[in-house]
Amino acid sequence: MDGPAAWAALVPPQAALAFVEGDERLALTLLSRARDARPPESLAWAQLERLCGLVLIHILREVEGTFALERADACLDRLGGARPDLGWLEAAAPEDRDRPGRGGDGGRMP
């Protein structure tokens, strides 16, 4: 799976939306669940693990994030896969952000 279009199909839309809306912890949870549903060290697993690492670094959990990037990048190098970045995660967010179940306000409390 190479490129933003293929990547968008792999990323749970709710994870991308949560990240874009500033709920990085929810994005990390959803990305982790998607990663755990993939075979370990597969291309999809590695790409999701890399995004988890980037989100961890984004929320200032640098050590955990760096270890995740090291695991993912070694796997991606071996498999020849693209290395997704946070731009790919943002691009995977649904265009229509007023989706049912999110309340149009991202599901946030007033």
Side-chain angles (χ1 to χ4, degrees), residues 49-103:
E49 176 72 352
R50 186 169 212 291
L51 269 189
C52 286
L54 292 171
V55 172
L56 282 164
I57 291 168
H58 185 76
I59 60 173
L60 304 178
R61 290 170 55 185
E62 292 94 353
V63 174
E64 292 171 271
T66 300
F67 283 129
L69 289 180
E70 288 176 358
R71 285 189 300 269
D73 289 351
C75 189
L76 291 170
D77 288 346
R78 190 178 73 251
L79 298 173
R83 293 183 177 191
D85 58 25
L86 291 178
W88 284 19
L89 180 58
E90 292 172 350
E95 292 295 320
D96 178 14
R97 296 199 177 140
D98 291 333
R99 296 177 29 221
R102 298 284 300 190

Short mmCIF file of all heavy atoms in Angstrom, two decimals, residues 49-103:
data_model
loop_
_atom_site.label_atom_id
_atom_site.label_comp_id
_atom_site.label_asym_id
_atom_site.label_seq_id
_atom_site.Cartn_x
_atom_site.Cartn_y
_atom_site.Cartn_z
N GLU A 49 1.66 1.12 12.62
CA GLU A 49 2.60 1.28 13.74
C GLU A 49 3.38 2.59 13.60
O GLU A 49 3.60 3.30 14.57
CB GLU A 49 3.56 0.09 13.79
CG GLU A 49 4.64 0.19 14.84
CD GLU A 49 4.17 0.00 16.27
OE1 GLU A 49 2.95 -0.06 16.53
OE2 GLU A 49 5.03 -0.06 17.16
N ARG A 50 3.75 2.92 12.37
CA ARG A 50 4.48 4.17 12.13
C ARG A 50 3.60 5.37 12.48
O ARG A 50 4.06 6.32 13.12
CB ARG A 50 4.95 4.26 10.69
CG ARG A 50 5.82 5.45 10.42
CD ARG A 50 6.50 5.39 9.07
NE ARG A 50 7.79 6.01 9.06
CZ ARG A 50 8.01 7.31 9.18
NH1 ARG A 50 7.01 8.13 9.33
NH2 ARG A 50 9.22 7.80 9.17
N LEU A 51 2.35 5.31 12.07
CA LEU A 51 1.45 6.42 12.42
C LEU A 51 1.23 6.51 13.91
O LEU A 51 1.17 7.62 14.47
CB LEU A 51 0.11 6.28 11.69
CG LEU A 51 0.02 6.96 10.35
CD1 LEU A 51 -1.40 6.94 9.84
CD2 LEU A 51 0.54 8.36 10.38
N CYS A 52 1.12 5.37 14.57
CA CYS A 52 0.99 5.39 16.03
C CYS A 52 2.20 6.08 16.65
O CYS A 52 2.06 6.91 17.55
CB CYS A 52 0.87 3.96 16.58
SG CYS A 52 -0.72 3.17 16.29
N GLY A 53 3.39 5.75 16.15
CA GLY A 53 4.61 6.38 16.65
C GLY A 53 4.61 7.88 16.44
O GLY A 53 4.99 8.65 17.33
N LEU A 54 4.18 8.32 15.26
CA LEU A 54 4.13 9.76 14.99
C LEU A 54 3.14 10.47 15.89
O LEU A 54 3.40 11.59 16.36
CB LEU A 54 3.80 9.99 13.52
CG LEU A 54 4.88 9.56 12.52
CD1 LEU A 54 4.35 9.64 11.11
CD2 LEU A 54 6.14 10.38 12.70
N VAL A 55 1.99 9.84 16.14
CA VAL A 55 1.00 10.45 17.04
C VAL A 55 1.55 10.49 18.46
O VAL A 55 1.39 11.49 19.17
CB VAL A 55 -0.36 9.72 16.96
CG1 VAL A 55 -1.31 10.24 18.03
CG2 VAL A 55 -0.97 9.89 15.58
N LEU A 56 2.24 9.42 18.88
CA LEU A 56 2.85 9.43 20.21
C LEU A 56 3.84 10.58 20.35
O LEU A 56 3.85 11.30 21.37
CB LEU A 56 3.56 8.09 20.48
CG LEU A 56 2.65 6.93 20.86
CD1 LEU A 56 3.40 5.61 20.72
CD2 LEU A 56 2.12 7.10 22.28
N ILE A 57 4.66 10.78 19.36
CA ILE A 57 5.62 11.89 19.39
C ILE A 57 4.88 13.22 19.41
O ILE A 57 5.24 14.14 20.14
CB ILE A 57 6.61 11.80 18.22
CG1 ILE A 57 7.53 10.59 18.42
CG2 ILE A 57 7.41 13.09 18.07
CD1 ILE A 57 8.36 10.22 17.22
N HIS A 58 3.81 13.31 18.64
CA HIS A 58 3.01 14.54 18.58
C HIS A 58 2.43 14.91 19.95
O HIS A 58 2.32 16.09 20.28
CB HIS A 58 1.89 14.36 17.56
CG HIS A 58 1.07 15.57 17.31
ND1 HIS A 58 1.52 16.63 16.55
CD2 HIS A 58 -0.17 15.90 17.72
CE1 HIS A 58 0.58 17.56 16.50
NE2 HIS A 58 -0.46 17.14 17.21
N ILE A 59 2.10 13.90 20.76
CA ILE A 59 1.54 14.18 22.09
C ILE A 59 2.64 14.12 23.17
O ILE A 59 2.35 13.94 24.34
CB ILE A 59 0.35 13.26 22.44
CG1 ILE A 59 0.73 11.79 22.43
CG2 ILE A 59 -0.81 13.53 21.51
CD1 ILE A 59 -0.37 10.86 22.93
N LEU A 60 3.89 14.26 22.70
CA LEU A 60 5.05 14.39 23.58
C LEU A 60 5.38 13.11 24.36
O LEU A 60 5.90 13.17 25.46
CB LEU A 60 4.89 15.58 24.53
CG LEU A 60 4.65 16.92 23.83
CD1 LEU A 60 4.45 18.02 24.86
CD2 LEU A 60 5.78 17.25 22.88
N ARG A 61 5.08 11.99 23.77
CA ARG A 61 5.51 10.71 24.32
C ARG A 61 6.62 10.19 23.39
O ARG A 61 6.49 9.18 22.73
CB ARG A 61 4.33 9.75 24.44
CG ARG A 61 3.36 10.19 25.53
CD ARG A 61 2.06 9.45 25.57
NE ARG A 61 2.19 8.02 25.67
CZ ARG A 61 1.14 7.19 25.62
NH1 ARG A 61 -0.08 7.66 25.48
NH2 ARG A 61 1.32 5.88 25.70
N GLU A 62 7.73 10.96 23.38
CA GLU A 62 8.79 10.76 22.40
C GLU A 62 9.45 9.39 22.46
O GLU A 62 9.76 8.81 21.43
CB GLU A 62 9.87 11.84 22.55
CG GLU A 62 9.42 13.23 22.17
CD GLU A 62 8.92 14.02 23.37
OE1 GLU A 62 8.79 13.45 24.47
OE2 GLU A 62 8.64 15.21 23.20
N VAL A 63 9.70 8.88 23.66
CA VAL A 63 10.41 7.60 23.77
C VAL A 63 9.57 6.48 23.17
O VAL A 63 10.05 5.72 22.32
CB VAL A 63 10.77 7.30 25.25
CG1 VAL A 63 11.36 5.91 25.39
CG2 VAL A 63 11.75 8.36 25.77
N GLU A 64 8.31 6.39 23.57
CA GLU A 64 7.43 5.37 23.01
C GLU A 64 7.28 5.53 21.50
O GLU A 64 7.28 4.55 20.75
CB GLU A 64 6.03 5.45 23.64
CG GLU A 64 5.99 5.06 25.09
CD GLU A 64 4.62 5.39 25.67
OE1 GLU A 64 4.46 6.53 26.16
OE2 GLU A 64 3.75 4.51 25.63
N GLY A 65 7.13 6.78 21.07
CA GLY A 65 6.98 7.06 19.66
C GLY A 65 8.21 6.67 18.85
O GLY A 65 8.10 6.11 17.76
N THR A 66 9.38 6.96 19.39
CA THR A 66 10.62 6.62 18.70
C THR A 66 10.76 5.11 18.56
O THR A 66 11.16 4.61 17.50
CB THR A 66 11.83 7.22 19.44
OG1 THR A 66 11.68 8.64 19.47
CG2 THR A 66 13.13 6.86 18.76
N PHE A 67 10.45 4.37 19.60
CA PHE A 67 10.52 2.91 19.51
C PHE A 67 9.54 2.38 18.47
O PHE A 67 9.86 1.46 17.70
CB PHE A 67 10.26 2.25 20.87
CG PHE A 67 11.43 2.32 21.81
CD1 PHE A 67 11.27 2.79 23.09
CD2 PHE A 67 12.70 1.92 21.41
CE1 PHE A 67 12.35 2.86 23.97
CE2 PHE A 67 13.79 1.98 22.28
CZ PHE A 67 13.61 2.45 23.56
N ALA A 68 8.34 2.95 18.42
CA ALA A 68 7.36 2.53 17.42
C ALA A 68 7.87 2.82 16.00
O ALA A 68 7.72 1.99 15.10
CB ALA A 68 6.02 3.23 17.65
N LEU A 69 8.48 3.98 15.81
CA LEU A 69 9.04 4.31 14.50
C LEU A 69 10.16 3.35 14.12
O LEU A 69 10.25 2.92 12.96
CB LEU A 69 9.56 5.75 14.48
CG LEU A 69 8.52 6.86 14.49
CD1 LEU A 69 9.21 8.22 14.46
CD2 LEU A 69 7.55 6.73 13.35
N GLU A 70 11.00 3.01 15.07
CA GLU A 70 12.10 2.07 14.78
C GLU A 70 11.56 0.71 14.36
O GLU A 70 12.04 0.11 13.40
CB GLU A 70 13.02 1.94 15.99
CG GLU A 70 13.87 3.16 16.23
CD GLU A 70 14.72 3.07 17.48
OE1 GLU A 70 14.64 2.04 18.21
OE2 GLU A 70 15.47 4.02 17.73
N ARG A 71 10.54 0.21 15.07
CA ARG A 71 9.93 -1.08 14.70
C ARG A 71 9.31 -1.01 13.32
O ARG A 71 9.51 -1.87 12.48
CB ARG A 71 8.85 -1.47 15.73
CG ARG A 71 9.37 -1.96 17.04
CD ARG A 71 8.24 -2.52 17.91
NE ARG A 71 7.20 -1.54 18.21
CZ ARG A 71 7.20 -0.75 19.27
NH1 ARG A 71 8.19 -0.78 20.14
NH2 ARG A 71 6.20 0.09 19.47
N ALA A 72 8.54 0.05 13.10
CA ALA A 72 7.83 0.19 11.83
C ALA A 72 8.79 0.39 10.66
O ALA A 72 8.64 -0.26 9.62
CB ALA A 72 6.85 1.36 11.92
N ASP A 73 9.76 1.27 10.82
CA ASP A 73 10.66 1.58 9.72
C ASP A 73 11.52 0.38 9.33
O ASP A 73 11.78 0.17 8.14
CB ASP A 73 11.53 2.80 10.04
CG ASP A 73 10.72 4.09 10.04
OD1 ASP A 73 9.54 4.07 9.63
OD2 ASP A 73 11.27 5.12 10.48
N ALA A 74 11.94 -0.42 10.30
CA ALA A 74 12.70 -1.63 9.98
C ALA A 74 11.85 -2.58 9.13
O ALA A 74 12.32 -3.15 8.14
CB ALA A 74 13.17 -2.33 11.26
N CYS A 75 10.61 -2.71 9.51
CA CYS A 75 9.68 -3.57 8.76
C CYS A 75 9.41 -2.98 7.37
O CYS A 75 9.42 -3.71 6.37
CB CYS A 75 8.40 -3.74 9.56
SG CYS A 75 7.27 -4.96 8.90
N LEU A 76 9.18 -1.70 7.30
CA LEU A 76 8.91 -1.05 6.01
C LEU A 76 10.12 -1.14 5.08
O LEU A 76 9.97 -1.34 3.87
CB LEU A 76 8.49 0.40 6.22
CG LEU A 76 7.11 0.58 6.85
CD1 LEU A 76 6.88 2.02 7.26
CD2 LEU A 76 6.01 0.09 5.92
N ASP A 77 11.32 -1.02 5.63
CA ASP A 77 12.53 -1.16 4.82
C ASP A 77 12.62 -2.57 4.26
O ASP A 77 12.95 -2.76 3.08
CB ASP A 77 13.78 -0.84 5.64
CG ASP A 77 13.93 0.64 5.95
OD1 ASP A 77 13.23 1.47 5.32
OD2 ASP A 77 14.75 0.97 6.83
N ARG A 78 12.32 -3.55 5.08
CA ARG A 78 12.38 -4.95 4.65
C ARG A 78 11.33 -5.25 3.58
O ARG A 78 11.60 -5.96 2.62
CB ARG A 78 12.19 -5.87 5.86
CG ARG A 78 12.45 -7.33 5.57
CD ARG A 78 12.30 -8.23 6.78
NE ARG A 78 10.90 -8.39 7.13
CZ ARG A 78 10.29 -7.87 8.19
NH1 ARG A 78 10.95 -7.13 9.04
NH2 ARG A 78 9.01 -8.08 8.41
N LEU A 79 10.13 -4.67 3.73
CA LEU A 79 9.03 -4.94 2.81
C LEU A 79 8.96 -3.98 1.64
O LEU A 79 8.19 -4.19 0.70
CB LEU A 79 7.70 -4.92 3.58
CG LEU A 79 7.55 -5.96 4.67
CD1 LEU A 79 6.28 -5.72 5.47
CD2 LEU A 79 7.57 -7.37 4.09
N GLY A 80 9.71 -2.89 1.71
CA GLY A 80 9.70 -1.91 0.63
C GLY A 80 8.46 -1.04 0.59
O GLY A 80 8.03 -0.60 -0.47
N GLY A 81 7.88 -0.78 1.75
CA GLY A 81 6.66 0.02 1.81
C GLY A 81 6.93 1.49 2.04
O GLY A 81 8.01 1.88 2.50
N ALA A 82 5.95 2.29 1.69
CA ALA A 82 6.03 3.74 1.91
C ALA A 82 5.95 4.04 3.40
O ALA A 82 5.34 3.29 4.17
CB ALA A 82 4.90 4.44 1.17
N ARG A 83 6.56 5.14 3.78
CA ARG A 83 6.52 5.58 5.17
C ARG A 83 5.50 6.70 5.31
O ARG A 83 5.77 7.84 4.97
CB ARG A 83 7.89 6.07 5.61
CG ARG A 83 8.92 4.97 5.67
CD ARG A 83 10.23 5.48 6.16
NE ARG A 83 11.17 4.38 6.26
CZ ARG A 83 12.33 4.46 6.85
NH1 ARG A 83 12.71 5.61 7.39
NH2 ARG A 83 13.13 3.43 6.90
N PRO A 84 4.33 6.38 5.85
CA PRO A 84 3.31 7.42 6.01
C PRO A 84 3.75 8.46 7.02
O PRO A 84 4.53 8.18 7.93
CB PRO A 84 2.08 6.65 6.50
CG PRO A 84 2.61 5.39 7.08
CD PRO A 84 3.88 5.08 6.35
N ASP A 85 3.22 9.66 6.84
CA ASP A 85 3.47 10.74 7.79
C ASP A 85 2.13 11.28 8.27
O ASP A 85 1.07 10.81 7.86
CB ASP A 85 4.34 11.83 7.16
CG ASP A 85 3.73 12.44 5.91
OD1 ASP A 85 2.49 12.40 5.74
OD2 ASP A 85 4.50 12.96 5.08
N LEU A 86 2.18 12.27 9.13
CA LEU A 86 0.94 12.82 9.68
C LEU A 86 0.08 13.48 8.61
O LEU A 86 -1.14 13.56 8.76
CB LEU A 86 1.24 13.79 10.82
CG LEU A 86 1.80 13.14 12.09
CD1 LEU A 86 2.12 14.20 13.13
CD2 LEU A 86 0.85 12.10 12.66
N GLY A 87 0.68 13.94 7.54
CA GLY A 87 -0.08 14.49 6.42
C GLY A 87 -1.00 13.44 5.81
O GLY A 87 -2.12 13.75 5.41
N TRP A 88 -0.53 12.20 5.76
CA TRP A 88 -1.37 11.11 5.24
C TRP A 88 -2.54 10.87 6.19
O TRP A 88 -3.65 10.61 5.75
CB TRP A 88 -0.56 9.83 5.08
CG TRP A 88 0.35 9.82 3.90
CD1 TRP A 88 0.80 10.90 3.18
CD2 TRP A 88 0.91 8.68 3.29
NE1 TRP A 88 1.62 10.48 2.18
CE2 TRP A 88 1.72 9.12 2.22
CE3 TRP A 88 0.84 7.31 3.55
CZ2 TRP A 88 2.41 8.25 1.41
CZ3 TRP A 88 1.54 6.44 2.74
CH2 TRP A 88 2.32 6.91 1.68
N LEU A 89 -2.27 10.95 7.49
CA LEU A 89 -3.35 10.77 8.45
C LEU A 89 -4.40 11.85 8.29
O LEU A 89 -5.59 11.57 8.26
CB LEU A 89 -2.78 10.77 9.87
CG LEU A 89 -3.77 10.58 11.02
CD1 LEU A 89 -4.54 9.28 10.88
CD2 LEU A 89 -3.06 10.64 12.36
N GLU A 90 -3.97 13.09 8.16
CA GLU A 90 -4.91 14.20 7.97
C GLU A 90 -5.70 14.04 6.67
O GLU A 90 -6.89 14.33 6.62
CB GLU A 90 -4.16 15.52 7.99
CG GLU A 90 -3.60 15.86 9.36
CD GLU A 90 -2.69 17.07 9.35
OE1 GLU A 90 -2.33 17.56 8.26
OE2 GLU A 90 -2.33 17.53 10.45
N ALA A 91 -5.03 13.57 5.63
CA ALA A 91 -5.70 13.40 4.33
C ALA A 91 -6.75 12.30 4.37
O ALA A 91 -7.68 12.29 3.55
CB ALA A 91 -4.66 13.08 3.25
N ALA A 92 -6.66 11.38 5.32
CA ALA A 92 -7.62 10.29 5.43
C ALA A 92 -8.90 10.69 6.14
O ALA A 92 -9.86 9.93 6.18
CB ALA A 92 -6.98 9.10 6.15
N ALA A 93 -8.94 11.90 6.70
CA ALA A 93 -10.15 12.37 7.40
C ALA A 93 -11.27 12.56 6.40
O ALA A 93 -11.05 13.07 5.30
CB ALA A 93 -9.87 13.67 8.14
N PRO A 94 -12.48 12.14 6.76
CA PRO A 94 -13.62 12.32 5.86
C PRO A 94 -13.84 13.80 5.55
O PRO A 94 -13.65 14.66 6.41
CB PRO A 94 -14.81 11.76 6.65
CG PRO A 94 -14.22 10.95 7.75
CD PRO A 94 -12.85 11.50 8.01
N GLU A 95 -14.23 14.06 4.33
CA GLU A 95 -14.53 15.44 3.92
C GLU A 95 -15.72 15.98 4.70
O GLU A 95 -15.72 17.12 5.10
CB GLU A 95 -14.82 15.49 2.42
CG GLU A 95 -13.61 15.20 1.56
CD GLU A 95 -12.52 16.25 1.70
OE1 GLU A 95 -12.85 17.45 1.78
OE2 GLU A 95 -11.35 15.86 1.74
N ASP A 96 -16.74 15.14 4.87
CA ASP A 96 -17.95 15.55 5.59
C ASP A 96 -17.73 15.30 7.07
O ASP A 96 -17.88 14.19 7.55
CB ASP A 96 -19.17 14.76 5.09
CG ASP A 96 -20.44 15.12 5.85
OD1 ASP A 96 -20.45 16.13 6.56
OD2 ASP A 96 -21.42 14.37 5.72
N ARG A 97 -17.36 16.35 7.79
CA ARG A 97 -17.04 16.17 9.21
C ARG A 97 -18.26 16.22 10.10
O ARG A 97 -18.15 16.04 11.30
CB ARG A 97 -16.02 17.23 9.62
CG ARG A 97 -14.74 17.00 8.85
CD ARG A 97 -13.59 17.66 9.48
NE ARG A 97 -12.41 17.31 8.69
CZ ARG A 97 -11.46 18.14 8.40
NH1 ARG A 97 -11.50 19.36 8.83
NH2 ARG A 97 -10.44 17.76 7.69
N ASP A 98 -19.44 16.48 9.55
CA ASP A 98 -20.67 16.48 10.34
C ASP A 98 -21.34 15.12 10.21
O ASP A 98 -22.50 15.01 9.84
CB ASP A 98 -21.62 17.59 9.87
CG ASP A 98 -21.08 18.96 10.21
OD1 ASP A 98 -20.31 19.06 11.18
OD2 ASP A 98 -21.41 19.91 9.51
N ARG A 99 -20.58 14.08 10.53
CA ARG A 99 -21.07 12.72 10.37
C ARG A 99 -21.96 12.33 11.54
O ARG A 99 -21.76 12.79 12.66
CB ARG A 99 -19.89 11.76 10.30
CG ARG A 99 -19.05 12.02 9.07
CD ARG A 99 -17.84 11.13 9.02
NE ARG A 99 -18.09 9.88 9.68
CZ ARG A 99 -17.21 9.28 10.46
NH1 ARG A 99 -16.05 9.82 10.67
NH2 ARG A 99 -17.49 8.14 11.03
N PRO A 100 -22.92 11.44 11.29
CA PRO A 100 -23.75 10.95 12.39
C PRO A 100 -22.87 10.30 13.46
O PRO A 100 -21.88 9.66 13.15
CB PRO A 100 -24.65 9.91 11.72
CG PRO A 100 -24.62 10.22 10.27
CD PRO A 100 -23.30 10.88 10.01
N GLY A 101 -23.25 10.48 14.69
CA GLY A 101 -22.53 9.89 15.80
C GLY A 101 -21.43 10.79 16.34
O GLY A 101 -20.89 10.55 17.39
N ARG A 102 -21.08 11.82 15.59
CA ARG A 102 -20.07 12.76 16.07
C ARG A 102 -20.72 14.07 16.49
O ARG A 102 -20.08 14.92 17.07
CB ARG A 102 -19.01 13.06 14.98
CG ARG A 102 -18.22 11.89 14.52
CD ARG A 102 -17.17 11.47 15.49
NE ARG A 102 -16.20 12.52 15.76
CZ ARG A 102 -15.10 12.30 16.42
NH1 ARG A 102 -14.80 11.14 16.86
NH2 ARG A 102 -14.27 13.30 16.67
N GLY A 103 -21.99 14.24 16.15
CA GLY A 103 -22.73 15.41 16.60
C GLY A 103 -22.35 16.70 15.90
O GLY A 103 -22.74 17.76 16.32
#
